[in-house]
């Protein structure tokens, strides 16, 4: 039975999110085809290309281990531009503040935004601030939109996966989601769980400069985690994917927390990770490059594209004990307000 | 005594908003100088210019006479681009939805956005949807960010006002604010009060094509109304301004509502109006052009720039009965969540 109101699951990044997009938002709003649903739009401009993207951040709590809503909002949009292969250049900031928010918290958050923008080399060029009455919002919501330019001719998009591509990731999965959950619930989960929020544009620039056309897809597995993101790419590229459970890096502390909380790390959000689809023959070189970057020291090869031209492509997981099961998108809501 | 928490007045567009911007947001976030605080940023790109702007919409109620939060969010950002003299080309949409929002309402709103975008000739190219738990937001908030390009070499910005400039407006003031207030409070204020929300890019394009360099400043008097917007321009351009109260068009129904509610129409928000500063010798020609446009039939010349190089420039009003008084920015909050 379908709902006639917005549900939390509509914001999960998973099945319900895609249903909302496919049935209401995309047909009536933008008409963007599935094939072209990427983290950034790429626009023609005077013979060049521009990348353009937007994200709103409603994370709860607004301060958490390793970061806050401010640097998260900058890194997230920087990464969406990087995933298109673009170099982020300009950022807008839209603040929605709840009456009563301590100005000291606001100052901490905007300072973090500036620091994150400086780190990523992107300029904050325009902004807007709205205030709503107490109870009309929860502390602070931030929208960041970004513009990027292209320093190379390569196209990187979610429909680029090809049979034989290897799938790499730049480090362990699930850190961000578990850090947020721990912060929200006041759980003591050990000292090494903190958000992985980081700007990936430098790593992506290195990757594209060295490996250019061998790189077919880049996407950051945020809401819905690695599983949902790979399922999106499988649909978009019409390919099947096989993941190796043993190869997917997960910190023991995150794995332990997931076991206790009944979560699968494959579905937990990341904010500093990128899934890289590369030609088979480039895979070991790309892995070396990732491992040589400060944000990729624990990079791993986690799967491959096994067959092509598959409408509604599937993602399979070869489990640690040798079985094989189908991985689907996140169904319903696992962790609301994770970003 | 200064507050140490966010107040409703920080979102008014008036004095407290400027204080928040000047003391916390701008120094720590962007470092943009007063002189350059315009509705859009103008960025150099490959020898050309790009305009970039952002706005979040938190209007309450979300449906009101003549429009809803969706078309308001499109028109508002289209207008911010137009105020820089740019032609709007691409729009992003960030939705924050409260759990429980009827999907039918969401569909109505996104349909209105698409219709408004089509009317303004701007493409919705990228988007994002977040959902927060019931009570964590109020129904729906929308961020729209936009990119514009320049079809001409003219620069139009808030620091461009010169002594002798005439100040024109394309129609009566206060319609939007009073329509929202009426909708929120369930007031019966007559049938002819509805939002003036409209895309001004066509009118601005005509204006710049015909009158180019004679046009010195364009700005839409939204939050804080005509008074606050003119005070902003006076500060930015370091000029004094004299307004003629008799010349400022206000619908009798809006004037009546303002009288009953204790509001000054000069401080009430507009969403389809533009203040145009032009060289004195072009003023009557520009007035004719405005009156010949469907969105400018009731245009009027309402004031002039009387002196220059005035730090913290002042705005004076010659009142209907012949007196002269100083007009300041909106102080505190008049109508929260007006846009």
């Amino acid at each position: 039975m379908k709902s006639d109101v917005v549900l939390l699951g509509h914001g999960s990044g998973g099945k319900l999110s895609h249903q909302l997009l496919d049935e209401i938002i995309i047909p009536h709003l933008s008409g963007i085809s599935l094939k072209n649903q990427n983290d950034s739009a790429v626009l023609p401009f005077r013979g060049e290309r521009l990348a353009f993207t937007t994200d709103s951040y409603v994370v709860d709590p607004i301060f958490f281990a390793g970061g806050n809503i401010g640097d998260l909002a900058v890194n997230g949009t920087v990464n969406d531009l990087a995933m298109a292969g673009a170099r982020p250049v300009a950022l807008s900031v839209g603040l929605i503040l709840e009456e009563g928010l301590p100005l000291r918290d606001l100052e901490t958050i905007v300072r973090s935004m500036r620091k994150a923008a400086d780190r990523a080399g992107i300029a904050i060029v325009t902004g807007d601030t709205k205030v709503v009455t107490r109870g009309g919002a929860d502390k602070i919501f931030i929208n960041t939109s970004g513009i990027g330019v292209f320093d190379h001719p390569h196209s990187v998009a979610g429909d680029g996966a090809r049979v034989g591509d290897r799938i790499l990731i730049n480090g362990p999965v699930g850190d961000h989601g578990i850090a947020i959950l721990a912060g929200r619930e006041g759980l003591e989960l050990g000292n090494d769980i903190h958000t992985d929020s980081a700007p990936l544009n430098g790593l992506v620039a290195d990757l594209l400069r060295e490996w250019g056309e061998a790189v077919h897809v880049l996407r950051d597995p945020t809401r819905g985690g690695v599983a949902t993101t790979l399922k999106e790419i499988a649909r978009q590229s019409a390919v099947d994917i096989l993941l190796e459970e043993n190869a997917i890096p997960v910190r023991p502390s995150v794995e332990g927390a997931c076991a206790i909380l009944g979560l699968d790390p494959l579905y937990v959000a990341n904010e500093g990770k990128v899934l890289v689809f590369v030609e088979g023959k480039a895979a070991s070189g790309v892995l070396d490059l990732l491992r040589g970057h400060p944000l990729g020291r624990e990079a791993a090869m986690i799967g491959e594209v096994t067959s092509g031209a598959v409408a509604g492509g599937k993602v399979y997981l070869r489990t640690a004990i040798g079985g094989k099961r189908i991985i689907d998108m996140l169904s319903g809501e696992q962790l609301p307000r994770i970003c």
Side-chain angles (χ1 to χ4, degrees), chain A:
Chain A
M1 207 185 73
K2 285 179 65 165
S3 169
D4 57 2
V5 299
V6 170
L7 305 173
L8 274 181
H10 284 126
S12 66
K15 270 190 185 171
L16 275 170
S17 292
H18 281 82
Q19 194 181 309
L20 184 71
L21 280 175
D22 294 346
E23 293 177 10
I24 296 187
I25 295 181
I26 289 181
H28 298 306
L29 187 61
S30 65
I32 299 168
S33 71
L34 168 66
K35 200 170 166 327
N36 292 318
Q37 286 170 30
N38 292 303
D39 291 329
S40 292
V42 178
L43 315 171
F45 178 70
R46 313 273 199 235
E48 304 263 354
R49 294 175 296 158
L50 274 184
F52 184 30
T53 191
T54 193
D55 250 322
S56 296
Y57 295 84
V58 297
V59 66
D60 170 33
I62 58 176
F63 297 100
F64 43 83
N68 64 51
I69 190 173
D71 38 43
L72 184 69
V74 172
N75 290 335
T77 290
V78 162
N79 291 347
D80 281 348
L81 293 170
M83 297 305 124
R87 174 165 56 85
V89 292
L91 195 72
S92 69
V93 174
L95 303 173
I96 298 175
L97 310 178
E98 184 190 12
E99 184 190 11
L101 177 75
L103 288 175
R104 202 182 42 204
D105 287 353
L106 178 61
E107 184 175 324
T108 303
I109 289 164
V110 296
R111 278 178 186 268
S112 298
M113 296 190 81
R114 176 67 175 270
K115 200 169 155 191
D118 288 347
R119 179 179 176 197
I122 193 168
I124 296 173
V125 298
T126 188
D128 173 59
T129 305
K130 294 292 191 306
V131 179
V132 298
T133 29
R134 214 179 280 263
D138 191 8
K139 299 180 192 74
I140 179 172
F141 300 149
I142 303 179
N143 177 281
T144 49
S145 300
I147 296 178
V149 298
F150 290 83
D151 295 326
H152 55 75
H154 314 306
S155 282
V156 191
D159 64 347
R162 300 283 171 268
V163 176
D165 281 357
R166 299 303 166 102
I167 304 166
L168 290 77
I169 190 163
N170 62 318
V173 305
D175 293 7
H176 177 74
I178 297 302
I180 296 299
L181 193 64
R184 191 183 304 165
E185 308 295 342
L187 304 175
E188 293 291 343
L189 295 175
N191 292 332
D192 74 332
I193 298 186
H194 47 80
T195 179
D196 60 342
S197 174
L200 296 168
N201 55 319
L203 182 149
V204 166
D206 289 355
L207 191 57
L208 291 174
R209 192 174 48 245
E210 297 296 322
W211 292 97
E213 289 174 6
V215 179
H216 293 165
V217 182
L218 296 169
R219 190 163 291 175
D220 51 342
T222 56
R223 276 186 291 177
V226 166
T228 301
T229 303
L230 287 177
K231 177 69 184 171
E232 277 175 20
I233 296 169
R235 285 207 320 173
Q236 233 180 314
S237 293
V239 297
D240 282 348
I241 287 170
L242 177 64
L243 278 184
E244 298 288 344
E245 187 170 30
N246 273 336
I248 300 166
V250 190
R251 277 181 220 292
S253 53
V254 169
E255 196 153 28
C258 283
I260 293 165
L261 299 165
L263 298 172
D264 180 342
L266 270 187
Y267 289 91
V268 178
N270 311 277
E271 289 289 342
K273 294 299 174 299
V274 52
L275 292 162
V276 185
F277 284 58
V278 291
E279 280 173 23
K281 64 178 190 289
S284 73
V286 168
L287 187 60
D288 288 345
L289 181 144
L290 292 177
R291 287 182 172 163
H293 191 280
L295 294 174
R297 292 223 175 88
E298 298 167 82
M301 199 172 322
I302 62 169
E304 64 187 308
V305 178
T306 53
S307 43
V310 183
K314 290 193 166 49
V315 181
Y316 298 94
L317 181 76
R318 182 140 51 207
T319 62
I321 55 165
K324 198 167 149 184
R325 64 178 172 91
I326 284 189
I327 295 286
D328 208 341
M329 286 190 180
L330 186 62
S331 162
E333 182 51 280
Q334 189 187 54
L335 296 169
R337 296 181 59 185
I338 208 68
C339 61

